[in-house]
Short mmCIF file of all heavy atoms in Angstrom, two decimals:
data_model
loop_
_atom_site.label_atom_id
_atom_site.label_comp_id
_atom_site.label_asym_id
_atom_site.label_seq_id
_atom_site.Cartn_x
_atom_site.Cartn_y
_atom_site.Cartn_z
N SER A 63 93.61 133.62 107.29
CA SER A 63 93.73 134.06 105.82
C SER A 63 93.37 133.09 104.87
O SER A 63 92.60 133.38 103.75
CB SER A 63 95.22 134.59 105.54
OG SER A 63 96.03 133.44 105.59
N VAL A 64 93.65 131.83 105.13
CA VAL A 64 93.28 130.79 104.17
C VAL A 64 91.63 130.69 104.15
O VAL A 64 91.01 130.65 103.13
CB VAL A 64 93.76 129.42 104.60
CG1 VAL A 64 93.23 128.20 103.72
CG2 VAL A 64 95.30 129.42 104.49
N TYR A 65 91.02 130.55 105.25
CA TYR A 65 89.59 130.39 105.56
C TYR A 65 88.94 131.65 104.84
O TYR A 65 87.75 131.45 104.26
CB TYR A 65 89.31 130.26 107.04
CG TYR A 65 87.82 130.14 107.36
CD1 TYR A 65 87.11 129.07 107.01
CD2 TYR A 65 87.24 131.22 107.97
CE1 TYR A 65 85.78 128.95 107.30
CE2 TYR A 65 85.94 131.25 108.25
CZ TYR A 65 85.07 129.98 108.06
OH TYR A 65 83.76 129.94 108.14
N SER A 66 89.31 132.78 105.02
CA SER A 66 88.72 134.10 104.62
C SER A 66 88.78 134.20 103.11
O SER A 66 87.91 135.09 102.68
CB SER A 66 89.34 135.30 105.34
OG SER A 66 89.06 135.10 106.82
N ASN A 67 89.67 133.68 102.49
CA ASN A 67 89.90 133.86 101.00
C ASN A 67 89.46 132.76 100.14
O ASN A 67 89.96 132.74 98.96
CB ASN A 67 91.23 134.29 100.82
CG ASN A 67 91.69 135.73 101.39
OD1 ASN A 67 90.83 136.67 100.99
ND2 ASN A 67 92.58 135.80 102.13
N THR A 68 88.73 131.88 100.68
CA THR A 68 88.30 130.80 99.65
C THR A 68 86.80 130.49 99.80
O THR A 68 86.22 130.54 100.84
CB THR A 68 89.14 129.39 100.05
OG1 THR A 68 88.85 128.36 99.11
CG2 THR A 68 88.82 128.84 101.31
N LYS A 69 86.17 129.94 98.78
CA LYS A 69 84.85 129.44 98.81
C LYS A 69 84.76 127.97 99.03
O LYS A 69 83.76 127.36 99.04
CB LYS A 69 84.08 129.95 97.69
CG LYS A 69 83.88 131.50 97.48
CD LYS A 69 83.13 131.83 96.27
CE LYS A 69 83.03 133.31 96.20
NZ LYS A 69 82.46 133.84 94.85
N ALA A 70 85.99 127.35 98.87
CA ALA A 70 86.04 125.80 98.88
C ALA A 70 85.91 125.29 100.41
O ALA A 70 86.04 126.09 101.27
CB ALA A 70 87.44 125.47 98.26
N SER A 71 85.63 124.06 100.44
CA SER A 71 85.50 123.47 101.72
C SER A 71 86.87 123.05 102.19
O SER A 71 87.46 122.12 101.59
CB SER A 71 84.56 122.26 101.68
OG SER A 71 84.53 121.46 102.86
N VAL A 72 87.45 123.74 103.22
CA VAL A 72 88.81 123.54 103.62
C VAL A 72 88.73 122.69 105.01
O VAL A 72 87.94 123.05 105.92
CB VAL A 72 89.59 124.72 103.86
CG1 VAL A 72 91.09 124.49 104.40
CG2 VAL A 72 89.77 125.48 102.63
N PHE A 73 89.63 121.84 105.17
CA PHE A 73 89.75 121.06 106.43
C PHE A 73 91.11 121.19 107.05
O PHE A 73 92.02 120.86 106.33
CB PHE A 73 89.38 119.59 106.38
CG PHE A 73 89.05 118.81 107.67
CD1 PHE A 73 87.78 118.80 108.12
CD2 PHE A 73 90.09 118.40 108.48
CE1 PHE A 73 87.55 118.17 109.39
CE2 PHE A 73 89.97 117.79 109.67
CZ PHE A 73 88.52 117.68 110.09
N PHE A 74 91.19 121.81 108.19
CA PHE A 74 92.56 122.15 108.69
C PHE A 74 93.03 121.05 109.63
O PHE A 74 92.29 120.63 110.60
CB PHE A 74 92.55 123.54 109.52
CG PHE A 74 92.26 124.76 108.70
CD1 PHE A 74 90.85 125.29 108.47
CD2 PHE A 74 93.32 125.29 107.95
CE1 PHE A 74 90.80 126.42 107.80
CE2 PHE A 74 93.07 126.44 107.11
CZ PHE A 74 91.86 126.92 106.95
N TYR A 75 94.26 120.66 109.47
CA TYR A 75 94.96 119.71 110.43
C TYR A 75 95.91 120.56 111.18
O TYR A 75 96.83 121.02 110.63
CB TYR A 75 95.55 118.61 109.68
CG TYR A 75 94.71 117.67 109.05
CD1 TYR A 75 94.30 117.74 107.66
CD2 TYR A 75 94.13 116.56 109.76
CE1 TYR A 75 93.29 116.89 107.10
CE2 TYR A 75 93.19 115.65 109.14
CZ TYR A 75 92.83 115.94 107.81
OH TYR A 75 91.82 114.98 107.30
N ILE A 76 95.60 120.81 112.42
CA ILE A 76 96.37 121.65 113.28
C ILE A 76 97.29 120.83 114.04
O ILE A 76 96.89 120.16 114.89
CB ILE A 76 95.71 122.64 114.14
CG1 ILE A 76 94.72 123.39 113.25
CG2 ILE A 76 96.48 123.51 115.00
CD1 ILE A 76 93.62 124.10 114.09
N VAL A 77 98.67 120.64 113.78
CA VAL A 77 99.62 119.92 114.41
C VAL A 77 100.37 120.69 115.60
O VAL A 77 100.81 121.76 115.20
CB VAL A 77 100.57 119.24 113.49
CG1 VAL A 77 101.37 118.16 114.04
CG2 VAL A 77 99.79 118.79 112.24
N THR A 78 100.46 120.04 116.70
CA THR A 78 100.93 120.75 117.78
C THR A 78 101.64 119.79 118.82
O THR A 78 101.44 118.60 118.66
CB THR A 78 100.00 121.65 118.49
OG1 THR A 78 100.65 122.55 119.43
CG2 THR A 78 98.86 120.78 119.26
N LEU A 79 102.32 120.33 119.75
CA LEU A 79 102.74 119.54 120.95
C LEU A 79 101.74 119.58 122.09
O LEU A 79 100.82 120.40 122.11
CB LEU A 79 104.10 120.03 121.40
CG LEU A 79 105.22 120.02 120.39
CD1 LEU A 79 106.56 120.50 120.98
CD2 LEU A 79 105.35 118.67 119.73
N ARG A 80 101.77 118.57 122.98
CA ARG A 80 100.81 118.53 124.16
C ARG A 80 100.49 119.77 124.81
O ARG A 80 99.46 120.07 125.17
CB ARG A 80 101.32 117.48 125.12
CG ARG A 80 100.22 117.20 126.17
CD ARG A 80 100.54 115.87 126.93
NE ARG A 80 100.70 114.68 126.07
CZ ARG A 80 101.10 113.53 126.41
NH1 ARG A 80 101.47 113.36 127.60
NH2 ARG A 80 101.02 112.43 125.71
N ASP A 81 101.54 120.67 125.05
CA ASP A 81 101.35 121.90 125.87
C ASP A 81 100.44 122.88 125.33
O ASP A 81 99.89 123.78 125.96
CB ASP A 81 102.67 122.56 126.20
CG ASP A 81 103.63 122.81 125.03
OD1 ASP A 81 103.01 122.72 123.91
OD2 ASP A 81 104.70 123.24 125.03
N ALA A 82 100.17 122.89 124.02
CA ALA A 82 99.37 123.94 123.40
C ALA A 82 97.91 123.44 123.02
O ALA A 82 97.04 124.21 122.53
CB ALA A 82 100.05 124.30 122.08
N ILE A 83 97.56 122.20 123.20
CA ILE A 83 96.28 121.69 122.76
C ILE A 83 95.06 122.42 123.34
O ILE A 83 94.18 122.95 122.59
CB ILE A 83 96.12 120.11 123.26
CG1 ILE A 83 97.18 119.31 122.31
CG2 ILE A 83 94.80 119.67 122.77
CD1 ILE A 83 97.49 117.94 122.93
N ARG A 84 95.01 122.58 124.59
CA ARG A 84 93.90 123.17 125.25
C ARG A 84 93.71 124.82 124.84
O ARG A 84 92.61 125.19 124.68
CB ARG A 84 94.05 123.18 126.84
CG ARG A 84 92.92 123.86 127.62
CD ARG A 84 93.27 123.81 129.11
NE ARG A 84 93.35 122.37 129.56
CZ ARG A 84 92.30 121.72 130.14
NH1 ARG A 84 91.16 122.42 130.25
NH2 ARG A 84 92.22 120.47 130.61
N LEU A 85 95.03 125.42 124.72
CA LEU A 85 95.04 126.85 124.34
C LEU A 85 94.40 126.91 122.97
O LEU A 85 93.62 127.89 122.69
CB LEU A 85 96.39 127.37 124.40
CG LEU A 85 96.63 128.77 124.48
CD1 LEU A 85 96.06 129.34 125.75
CD2 LEU A 85 98.18 129.11 124.53
N ILE A 86 94.89 126.04 121.90
CA ILE A 86 94.29 126.21 120.72
C ILE A 86 92.84 125.99 120.55
O ILE A 86 91.99 126.77 120.02
CB ILE A 86 94.85 125.05 119.81
CG1 ILE A 86 96.43 125.34 119.50
CG2 ILE A 86 94.27 124.96 118.31
CD1 ILE A 86 97.18 124.25 118.92
N ARG A 87 92.23 124.91 121.20
CA ARG A 87 90.81 124.57 121.16
C ARG A 87 89.98 125.57 121.88
O ARG A 87 88.96 126.24 121.43
CB ARG A 87 90.64 123.17 121.52
CG ARG A 87 89.23 122.73 121.26
CD ARG A 87 89.00 121.27 121.35
NE ARG A 87 89.47 120.66 122.58
CZ ARG A 87 90.22 119.61 122.78
NH1 ARG A 87 90.83 119.23 121.70
NH2 ARG A 87 90.60 119.27 123.91
N ARG A 88 90.32 125.65 123.20
CA ARG A 88 89.41 126.49 124.12
C ARG A 88 89.50 127.92 124.06
O ARG A 88 88.65 128.63 124.50
CB ARG A 88 89.62 125.90 125.40
CG ARG A 88 89.19 124.48 125.63
CD ARG A 88 89.12 123.97 127.04
NE ARG A 88 88.66 122.63 127.19
CZ ARG A 88 88.60 121.86 128.29
NH1 ARG A 88 88.80 122.47 129.38
NH2 ARG A 88 88.26 120.56 128.22
N GLN A 89 90.76 128.37 123.64
CA GLN A 89 90.93 129.73 123.55
C GLN A 89 90.75 130.42 122.15
O GLN A 89 89.78 131.01 121.77
CB GLN A 89 92.23 130.26 124.15
CG GLN A 89 92.39 129.94 125.61
CD GLN A 89 91.60 131.00 126.54
OE1 GLN A 89 91.08 132.04 126.01
NE2 GLN A 89 91.33 130.55 127.70
N TYR A 90 91.71 130.14 121.37
CA TYR A 90 91.80 130.60 120.04
C TYR A 90 90.61 130.24 119.12
O TYR A 90 90.15 130.99 118.31
CB TYR A 90 93.15 130.14 119.36
CG TYR A 90 94.05 131.38 119.23
CD1 TYR A 90 95.28 131.52 119.91
CD2 TYR A 90 93.77 132.45 118.39
CE1 TYR A 90 96.12 132.59 119.71
CE2 TYR A 90 94.55 133.59 118.22
CZ TYR A 90 95.75 133.69 118.98
OH TYR A 90 96.57 134.76 118.80
N ILE A 91 90.26 129.04 119.06
CA ILE A 91 89.18 128.63 118.13
C ILE A 91 87.82 128.96 118.70
O ILE A 91 86.92 129.46 118.02
CB ILE A 91 89.35 127.16 117.73
CG1 ILE A 91 90.69 127.00 116.92
CG2 ILE A 91 88.27 126.63 116.88
CD1 ILE A 91 91.06 125.56 116.46
N GLU A 92 87.48 128.33 119.86
CA GLU A 92 86.07 128.53 120.48
C GLU A 92 85.73 129.88 120.74
O GLU A 92 84.56 130.26 120.70
CB GLU A 92 85.92 127.60 121.63
CG GLU A 92 86.14 126.18 121.25
CD GLU A 92 85.74 125.21 122.48
OE1 GLU A 92 85.62 125.73 123.65
OE2 GLU A 92 85.89 123.99 122.42
N LYS A 93 86.71 130.79 120.94
CA LYS A 93 86.34 132.11 121.48
C LYS A 93 86.47 133.16 120.38
O LYS A 93 86.58 134.32 120.66
CB LYS A 93 87.19 132.51 122.67
CG LYS A 93 86.75 131.70 123.89
CD LYS A 93 87.45 132.22 125.14
CE LYS A 93 86.99 131.17 126.29
NZ LYS A 93 87.69 131.69 127.51
N THR A 94 86.86 132.69 119.03
CA THR A 94 87.03 133.87 118.03
C THR A 94 86.31 133.31 116.82
O THR A 94 85.63 132.43 116.79
CB THR A 94 88.57 133.88 117.66
OG1 THR A 94 88.95 132.67 117.02
CG2 THR A 94 89.51 134.02 118.80
N LYS A 95 86.40 134.14 115.69
CA LYS A 95 85.68 133.77 114.43
C LYS A 95 86.07 132.54 113.90
O LYS A 95 85.46 131.79 112.99
CB LYS A 95 85.94 134.97 113.53
CG LYS A 95 87.35 135.00 112.92
CD LYS A 95 87.50 136.10 111.84
CE LYS A 95 87.11 135.48 110.49
NZ LYS A 95 87.47 136.39 109.45
N LEU A 96 87.22 131.87 114.48
CA LEU A 96 87.79 130.66 113.92
C LEU A 96 86.90 129.43 114.34
O LEU A 96 87.06 128.40 113.97
CB LEU A 96 89.11 130.45 114.27
CG LEU A 96 90.23 131.33 113.70
CD1 LEU A 96 91.59 131.10 114.29
CD2 LEU A 96 90.15 131.25 112.18
N LYS A 97 85.84 129.76 115.17
CA LYS A 97 84.84 128.68 115.63
C LYS A 97 84.20 128.06 114.48
O LYS A 97 83.51 126.99 114.63
CB LYS A 97 83.97 129.13 116.80
CG LYS A 97 83.08 130.34 116.34
CD LYS A 97 82.20 130.59 117.50
CE LYS A 97 81.20 131.80 117.30
NZ LYS A 97 81.92 133.12 117.21
N GLU A 98 84.21 128.76 113.35
CA GLU A 98 83.56 128.26 112.18
C GLU A 98 84.26 127.40 111.35
O GLU A 98 83.71 126.71 110.44
CB GLU A 98 83.04 129.47 111.31
CG GLU A 98 82.04 130.47 111.98
CD GLU A 98 81.96 131.76 111.21
OE1 GLU A 98 82.52 131.91 110.16
OE2 GLU A 98 81.34 132.67 111.78
N ILE A 99 85.57 127.24 111.59
CA ILE A 99 86.38 126.34 110.72
C ILE A 99 86.16 124.89 111.06
O ILE A 99 85.66 124.58 112.14
CB ILE A 99 87.98 126.69 110.76
CG1 ILE A 99 88.45 126.29 112.22
CG2 ILE A 99 88.19 128.15 110.38
CD1 ILE A 99 90.00 126.29 112.36
N ARG A 100 86.47 123.99 110.02
CA ARG A 100 86.44 122.58 110.34
C ARG A 100 87.88 122.15 110.48
O ARG A 100 88.74 122.41 109.68
CB ARG A 100 85.81 121.92 109.16
CG ARG A 100 84.35 122.38 108.97
CD ARG A 100 83.59 121.98 107.74
NE ARG A 100 83.64 120.45 107.57
CZ ARG A 100 84.36 119.74 106.59
NH1 ARG A 100 85.08 120.52 105.76
NH2 ARG A 100 84.24 118.59 106.64
N TYR A 101 88.16 121.45 111.58
CA TYR A 101 89.59 121.11 111.94
C TYR A 101 89.68 119.88 112.72
O TYR A 101 88.75 119.29 113.35
CB TYR A 101 90.08 122.35 112.64
CG TYR A 101 89.58 122.42 113.96
CD1 TYR A 101 90.26 122.02 115.13
CD2 TYR A 101 88.41 123.01 114.30
CE1 TYR A 101 89.80 122.12 116.41
CE2 TYR A 101 87.80 123.09 115.53
CZ TYR A 101 88.43 122.68 116.51
OH TYR A 101 88.01 122.77 117.95
N LYS A 102 90.81 119.50 112.78
CA LYS A 102 91.31 118.41 113.72
C LYS A 102 92.61 118.77 114.33
O LYS A 102 93.56 119.18 113.65
CB LYS A 102 91.33 117.04 113.06
CG LYS A 102 91.65 115.83 113.90
CD LYS A 102 91.57 114.52 113.15
CE LYS A 102 90.24 114.06 112.73
NZ LYS A 102 90.21 112.82 111.99
N ILE A 103 92.70 118.52 115.62
CA ILE A 103 94.02 118.78 116.22
C ILE A 103 94.76 117.60 116.45
O ILE A 103 94.26 116.50 116.86
CB ILE A 103 93.82 119.40 117.73
CG1 ILE A 103 93.10 120.73 117.51
CG2 ILE A 103 95.23 119.70 118.35
CD1 ILE A 103 92.80 121.34 118.97
N LEU A 104 96.09 117.54 115.95
CA LEU A 104 96.86 116.37 116.06
C LEU A 104 98.12 116.59 116.96
O LEU A 104 98.78 117.60 116.74
CB LEU A 104 97.40 116.01 114.54
CG LEU A 104 96.29 115.71 113.58
CD1 LEU A 104 96.88 115.49 112.19
CD2 LEU A 104 95.50 114.34 113.98
N GLU A 105 98.35 115.73 117.80
CA GLU A 105 99.46 115.89 118.68
C GLU A 105 100.76 115.19 118.12
O GLU A 105 100.56 113.90 117.77
CB GLU A 105 99.14 115.40 120.06
CG GLU A 105 100.36 115.51 121.09
CD GLU A 105 100.05 114.70 122.45
OE1 GLU A 105 98.95 114.48 122.78
OE2 GLU A 105 101.08 114.38 123.17
N PHE A 106 101.76 115.95 117.89
CA PHE A 106 103.00 115.28 117.33
C PHE A 106 103.84 114.69 118.50
O PHE A 106 104.15 115.40 119.38
CB PHE A 106 103.76 116.26 116.50
CG PHE A 106 105.02 115.82 115.86
CD1 PHE A 106 104.97 114.66 114.95
CD2 PHE A 106 106.24 116.35 116.19
CE1 PHE A 106 106.17 114.22 114.38
CE2 PHE A 106 107.49 115.83 115.54
CZ PHE A 106 107.36 114.81 114.61
N ASN A 107 104.42 113.52 118.28
CA ASN A 107 105.30 112.89 119.39
C ASN A 107 106.70 113.11 118.87
O ASN A 107 107.18 112.43 118.03
CB ASN A 107 105.06 111.38 119.36
CG ASN A 107 105.90 110.72 120.46
OD1 ASN A 107 106.67 111.31 121.01
ND2 ASN A 107 105.65 109.39 120.58
N PRO A 108 107.42 114.03 119.47
CA PRO A 108 108.84 114.37 119.15
C PRO A 108 109.77 113.35 119.36
O PRO A 108 110.95 113.32 118.94
CB PRO A 108 109.12 115.56 119.94
CG PRO A 108 108.22 115.69 121.19
CD PRO A 108 107.01 114.85 120.65
N MET A 109 109.38 112.19 120.14
CA MET A 109 110.28 111.12 120.32
C MET A 109 110.77 110.38 119.05
O MET A 109 111.85 109.85 118.94
CB MET A 109 109.64 110.10 121.20
CG MET A 109 109.64 110.32 122.73
SD MET A 109 111.34 110.63 123.38
CE MET A 109 111.84 108.84 123.19
N VAL A 110 109.95 110.67 117.90
CA VAL A 110 110.29 109.90 116.68
C VAL A 110 111.62 110.62 116.15
O VAL A 110 112.34 109.89 115.23
CB VAL A 110 109.18 110.02 115.70
CG1 VAL A 110 109.03 111.55 115.16
CG2 VAL A 110 109.27 109.04 114.59
N LEU A 111 111.99 111.70 116.64
CA LEU A 111 113.15 112.41 115.98
C LEU A 111 114.37 112.14 116.84
O LEU A 111 115.48 112.52 116.46
CB LEU A 111 113.01 113.91 116.14
CG LEU A 111 111.86 114.44 115.41
CD1 LEU A 111 111.52 115.97 115.69
CD2 LEU A 111 111.77 114.27 113.91
N LYS A 112 114.39 111.16 117.89
CA LYS A 112 115.42 110.87 118.62
C LYS A 112 116.55 110.18 117.77
O LYS A 112 116.24 109.26 116.99
CB LYS A 112 115.09 109.88 119.77
CG LYS A 112 116.12 109.78 120.91
CD LYS A 112 115.52 108.86 122.03
CE LYS A 112 116.68 108.83 123.20
NZ LYS A 112 116.24 108.00 124.26
N GLY A 113 117.70 110.73 117.90
CA GLY A 113 118.85 110.15 117.10
C GLY A 113 118.87 110.63 115.72
O GLY A 113 119.68 110.17 114.91
N LYS A 114 118.12 111.57 115.53
CA LYS A 114 117.94 112.22 114.09
C LYS A 114 118.50 113.66 114.04
O LYS A 114 118.69 114.27 113.00
CB LYS A 114 116.80 112.00 113.39
CG LYS A 114 116.34 110.46 113.29
CD LYS A 114 115.06 110.26 112.43
CE LYS A 114 114.65 108.82 112.47
NZ LYS A 114 114.03 108.48 113.69
N VAL A 115 118.16 114.36 115.25
CA VAL A 115 118.36 115.86 115.25
C VAL A 115 119.17 116.15 116.45
O VAL A 115 118.82 115.69 117.49
CB VAL A 115 117.02 116.59 115.22
CG1 VAL A 115 117.19 118.18 115.37
CG2 VAL A 115 116.22 116.17 114.09
N LYS A 116 120.20 117.06 116.31
CA LYS A 116 120.87 117.45 117.53
C LYS A 116 121.06 119.04 117.61
O LYS A 116 121.04 119.64 116.52
CB LYS A 116 122.28 116.79 117.55
CG LYS A 116 123.15 117.09 116.36
CD LYS A 116 124.49 116.23 116.47
CE LYS A 116 125.30 116.46 115.10
NZ LYS A 116 126.49 115.60 115.28
N PRO A 117 121.05 119.60 118.76
CA PRO A 117 120.97 121.08 118.86
C PRO A 117 122.35 121.69 118.59
O PRO A 117 123.04 122.08 119.34
CB PRO A 117 120.63 121.15 120.41
CG PRO A 117 121.22 120.08 121.05
CD PRO A 117 121.09 118.96 120.00
N ASP A 118 122.49 121.83 117.16
CA ASP A 118 123.82 122.51 116.77
C ASP A 118 123.57 123.57 115.81
O ASP A 118 124.44 124.04 115.12
CB ASP A 118 124.78 121.41 116.23
CG ASP A 118 124.29 120.78 115.07
OD1 ASP A 118 122.90 120.94 114.68
OD2 ASP A 118 124.84 120.04 114.26
N SER A 119 122.46 124.15 115.84
CA SER A 119 122.11 125.33 114.92
C SER A 119 122.25 126.61 115.66
O SER A 119 121.98 126.71 116.89
CB SER A 119 120.70 125.18 114.38
OG SER A 119 120.31 126.28 113.63
#
Side-chain angles (χ1 to χ4, degrees):
S63 71
V64 172
Y65 176 71
S66 300
N67 288 304
T68 185
K69 292 177 182 174
S71 175
V72 177
F73 196 94
F74 294 98
Y75 291 93
I76 305 169
V77 188
T78 191
L79 302 180
R80 185 169 296 174
D81 55 7
I83 295 164
R84 183 183 292 266
L85 202 57
I86 292 171
R87 185 166 60 232
R88 297 196 179 172
Q89 293 289 345
Y90 248 115
I91 294 180
E92 290 182 3
K93 293 186 179 180
T94 69
K95 66 174 283 190
L96 294 179
K97 62 179 176 289
E98 298 169 4
I99 68 169
R100 297 170 59 245
Y101 71 100
K102 184 177 284 181
I103 298 174
L104 301 172
E105 180 190 340
F106 180 59
N107 182 359
M109 281 301 292
V110 77
L111 302 174
K112 195 173 181 183
K114 301 184 184 76
V115 180
K116 55 184 172 183
D118 59 350
S119 172

